[in-house]
Amino acid sequence: MRTLTKDSNIYEIRDKIVKVYLKKILRRFRQLNQSLLAFDEINSMTAVYTAYDEVVEMSVDALKEIAKQTYRWICDEDFLVDMWLSDWLKQADPVMHYKFYDEADRKRSRLFEAVESVRTSAERKKQIDIGMRYWVKQFEQTADNLVDDVVLQAYRDNGVKYVMWMIMNDAKVCNDCYRRKGKIYPIDSPLLRALHWNCRCWWIPIRKNVFKK
């Protein structure tokens, strides 16, 4: 297993993959705006739902790649990611407080209602841009939380029992995160989770049982 230090960046892989997939996601939303210019309501519904389904599929593909590469980076082994990720996405997110696919369905329906409620192409584009920003926010936060859980899974699979809380040491670190810096937790502690949106705290493994004298 890779030896991590306070200078390691467990989000580097995530950032590279998200950057690539965000280009595809943004392009698909822009294509949706163009396709709606000549559509009636029925065809508009099909266009919105099809585009959103494709965006969700792209996002899941990105998450799968993030999970595979992050796990391999930690322990130099392949990760049987498909079933693990499928189960993971069905759980309520601890930061966003909703389930991935349920929220995707809600955002998709909301976007269709929004584009059907406007009268001009400029207003429709505005609503699509809003829908795009909402999805990007969900996608990026999901990717952050995924990295956290994949790292912890890799630790568990390699027999790690305790971890130390690390922060990113930049101006964005909040007081709640800072107070946990250097604290040690059991690997299965429910406290090992992001504390808020855009939280990038992480953990390094502690090999010995620090609670024994």
Side-chain angles (χ1 to χ4, degrees):
M1 189 178 74
R2 181 183 294 271
T3 300
L4 300 179
T5 71
K6 63 182 180 63
D7 297 317
S8 300
N9 181 4
I10 65 170
Y11 298 102
E12 184 175 5
I13 292 171
R14 171 260 187 226
D15 292 344
K16 290 179 180 178
I17 294 174
V18 165
K19 183 177 181 180
V20 171
Y21 276 84
L22 273 182
K23 292 180 180 179
K24 300 178 182 180
I25 290 170
L26 299 183
R27 187 184 306 122
R28 188 62 184 90
F29 273 110
R30 295 188 184 108
Q31 290 172 350
L32 172 61
N33 181 54
Q34 291 298 316
S35 66
L36 289 177
L37 293 177
F39 281 177
D40 56 24
E41 182 175 346
I42 295 178
N43 287 326
S44 293
M45 175 184 286
T46 300
V48 170
Y49 275 56
T50 298
Y52 220 96
D53 286 346
E54 291 177 8
V55 164
V56 172
E57 184 177 357
M58 291 177 197
S59 302
V60 173
D61 287 343
L63 296 173
K64 186 180 298 185
E65 195 61 31
I66 291 168
K68 288 169 58 177
Q69 291 194 29
T70 299
Y71 189 93
R72 189 180 300 126
W73 182 75
I74 291 290
C75 55
D76 197 28
E77 295 178 4
D78 289 333
F79 186 27
L80 300 177
V81 68
D82 290 342
M83 184 175 297
W84 186 95
L85 182 61
S86 177
D87 290 341
W88 187 84
L89 289 174
K90 294 174 183 176
Q91 301 171 19
D93 186 277
V95 175
M96 297 178 286
H97 305 296
Y98 50 61
K99 297 179 181 179
F100 182 83
Y101 288 112
D102 290 348
E103 182 63 13
D105 290 343
R106 191 189 71 81
K107 282 185 169 69
R108 180 180 60 182
S109 298
R110 171 66 184 84
L111 178 58
F112 172 68
E113 293 170 1
V115 298
E116 286 301 305
S117 68
V118 298
R119 297 183 178 180
T120 69
S121 58
E123 291 174 326
R124 181 168 53 246
K125 181 180 182 302
K126 179 180 178 180
Q127 291 302 322
I128 291 175
D129 286 345
I130 291 172
M132 178 176 66
R133 289 197 299 272
Y134 284 158
W135 180 255
V136 167
K137 185 177 181 181
Q138 176 177 342
F139 169 54
E140 292 193 314
Q141 185 63 50
T142 302
D144 282 347
N145 297 342
L146 176 69
V147 171
D148 295 343
D149 285 346
V150 169
V151 168
L152 291 175
Q153 185 65 53
Y155 289 170
R156 292 188 194 97
D157 291 347
N158 282 271
V160 174
K161 301 299 182 183
Y162 299 96
V163 294
M164 179 182 292
W165 192 287
M166 308 298 293
I167 60 175
M168 294 301 287
N169 288 314
D170 58 25
K172 297 180 180 179
V173 176
C174 72
N175 289 333
D176 288 338
C177 294
Y178 190 81
R179 281 193 289 268
R180 295 195 181 188
K181 179 182 178 181
K183 290 189 175 181
I184 295 171
Y185 298 86
I187 189 68
D188 291 320
S189 171
L191 297 177
L192 295 179
R193 50 179 281 187
L195 298 183
H196 50 76
W197 284 84
N198 302 316
C199 179
R200 282 201 162 195
C201 291
W202 57 291
W203 312 279
I204 59 174
I206 304 297
R207 280 297 189 176
K208 63 181 180 180
N209 188 340
V210 296
F211 297 105
K212 288 185 177 178
K213 295 183 179 180

